Amino acid sequence: MDRKRAARRAALQAEEQQAREQEGTMEENAEGTAGDTVRVAAVDCGTNSIRLLIADARTENGVTRLTDVVRLMRIVRLGEGVDATGRLSDAALERTFEATDEYAALIKEHGAEKVRFVATSATRDAENRKDFTKGIRARLGVEPEVISGDEEAGLSFAGASSVLAGDKGARTLVVDLGGGSTEFVLGIDSEVLAARSTDMGCVRFTERHLVSDPPTDAEIAMARGDILDMIAQVLQTVPLATADQLVGVAGTITTVTAHALKLPEYSSEAIHGTELSVEAVDHASSSLIHMSRSERAALPYMHPGRVDVIGAGALIWQTIVDRMSELTDGRVETAVTSEHDILDGIALSTLR
């Protein structure tokens, strides 16, 4: 199994290296031999974080590659309290607008030609989302799009599949675990077969269930029961048992992976493409779930904005991975972590 994981990761890294080399070669070739390069900007505004990607998009032989210019994340906790109140708080809006001002300046500085701003779970649920959209429009000059869970799922799959070096024709389940929602997307290569968005995420389930520090066994059991209920709902529209491989994206899953690898610091390069066994995911997740917040804060790869919510996120990911192993009779016995996700999907969608 170690050889299998090493081979998968090596293939993924080799594909990305080949893409970089191809980009360099195309830049050196005479005009007309390569596709046009378009500088794009994508903003993903979720329940916990707001992220920016400014990238050069180049299409060659029908395949579009993104080369990062700027990739940033700010934890603004836009969805703080939304599950209970149904509203975006003034403080959360202020934090989000401050980050958007920073992003607007960078987009202008780097001359992005196409810009797309996408908001997801917390904003979908908020009755005062017009205050949010008005503030973003004034700062960024584009209309913020509050997208559906289905579109969010499709963008997540597009972003992850754009860099995955999986087996041709394999049925891949991409799980995007966010602050307020989790998307399940089943597809083959770049084609989405079925998708479902659920109202569970690290922020929502922390506020709803894991209120103690560290969480009690009763809180964990209640949360796990809700997670299994959500997975049962997903099964109504997404045939999870037919998946050949499992891919996880977003900050909770990359942080669980960093914990499993015992990294000395957060490293996207070390995390991306890592394939962990069900047992490794279970062990790392259990450790994070039962830690106190002060213990989590001391971990060298832990973002301060995830300290209080990573326990709920790890519990969700642990339960999904365990359940996928059961549903597939052990055929899915590992989970691959991708650092590329909905943010990359948003950037690619600007070209359509």
Side-chain angles (χ1 to χ4, degrees):
M1 181 50 58
D2 288 341
R3 288 195 298 271
K4 178 182 175 183
R5 289 198 294 270
R8 175 78 64 85
R9 187 173 179 185
L12 193 154
Q13 292 174 340
E15 181 178 287
E16 292 188 330
Q17 179 62 33
Q18 183 181 20
R20 287 193 292 269
E21 291 172 353
Q22 287 175 343
E23 287 166 355
T25 301
M26 286 189 289
E27 289 171 359
E28 294 170 1
N29 286 343
E31 285 188 8
T33 60
D36 292 336
T37 298
V38 180
R39 180 156 292 183
V40 302
V43 181
D44 167 36
C45 186
T47 300
N48 196 42
S49 65
I50 182 170
R51 299 181 300 153
L52 168 71
L53 172 60
I54 301 174
D56 287 331
R58 181 190 291 270
T59 302
E60 185 74 10
N61 298 324
V63 177
T64 302
R65 302 282 186 185
L66 297 174
T67 303
D68 288 10
V69 177
V70 174
R71 191 182 286 261
L72 286 178
M73 178 190 70
R74 298 287 182 258
I75 300 289
V76 295
R77 197 64 60 82
L78 177 62
E80 185 175 30
V82 168
D83 191 51
T85 67
R87 292 180 58 84
L88 302 169
S89 72
D90 291 342
L93 286 170
E94 183 177 346
R95 293 191 296 267
T96 305
F97 291 157
E98 182 179 351
T100 303
D101 285 334
E102 177 188 6
Y103 290 176
L106 287 168
I107 290 169
K108 181 178 180 180
E109 175 187 344
H110 290 282
E113 301 169 53
K114 297 178 180 291
V115 181
R116 188 180 185 193
F117 186 109
V118 164
T120 54
S121 177
T123 318
R124 282 197 300 267
D125 297 343
E127 63 183 45
N128 62 332
R129 71 183 193 181
K130 287 185 178 179
D131 296 336
F132 168 80
T133 56
K134 180 180 179 181
I136 297 299
R137 189 187 309 115
R139 287 165 170 79
L140 208 56
V142 299
E143 187 69 24
E145 302 174 53
V146 182
I147 62 172
S148 68
D150 286 345
E151 184 174 2
E152 183 177 358
L155 289 171
S156 296
F157 189 83
S161 63
S162 68
V163 296
L164 290 177
D167 298 331
K168 190 74 172 176
R171 295 170 75 94
T172 301
L173 178 70
V174 173
V175 176
D176 183 348
L177 202 171
S181 67
T182 297
E183 281 67 50
F184 296 74
V185 198
L186 184 68
I188 296 178
D189 301 327
S190 60
E191 179 188 0
V192 174
L193 302 176
R196 181 74 175 260
S197 180
T198 63
D199 285 336
M200 67 174 173
C202 60
V203 175
R204 192 186 296 271
F205 270 45
T206 297
E207 294 180 352
R208 186 179 295 180
H209 294 296
L210 305 189
V211 295
S212 300
D213 180 25
T216 66
D217 289 344
E219 290 171 349
I220 293 169
M222 185 68 73
R224 194 185 303 277
D226 270 7
I227 297 164
L228 289 170
D229 286 344
M230 292 285 185
I231 296 172
Q233 293 175 27
V234 173
L235 280 166
Q236 296 174 12
T237 52
V238 182
L240 300 178
T242 67
D244 299 308
Q245 54 191 7
L246 173 63
V247 176
V249 302
T252 284
I253 295 169
T254 61
T255 302
V256 170
T257 303
H259 190 55
L261 296 174
K262 296 181 173 59
L263 296 180
E265 61 183 4
Y266 191 93
S267 168
S268 295
E269 183 177 349
I271 292 167
H272 182 60
T274 293
E275 187 170 11
L276 297 176
S277 67
V278 173
E279 293 76 16
V281 172
D282 184 71
H283 180 75
S285 298
S286 291
S287 174
L288 288 169
I289 292 164
H290 291 95
M291 280 183 178
S292 67
R293 292 177 182 176
S294 60
E295 289 172 329
R296 295 171 189 161
L299 298 172
Y301 38 78
M302 182 66 64
H303 191 286
R306 298 198 190 282
V307 168
D308 60 331
V309 297
I310 190 63
L315 180 60
I316 294 169
W317 183 228
Q318 177 192 55
T319 307
I320 291 171
V321 173
D322 285 346
R323 189 73 180 108
M324 284 301 300
S325 179
E326 295 171 356
L327 288 168
T328 60
D329 294 326
R331 187 176 64 258
V332 173
E333 55 185 359
T334 62
V336 179
T337 302
S338 174
E339 283 275 359
H340 298 268
D341 52 27
I342 187 174
L343 188 60
D344 301 74
I346 296 167
L348 290 168
S349 74
T350 64
L351 303 177
R352 292 200 288 267

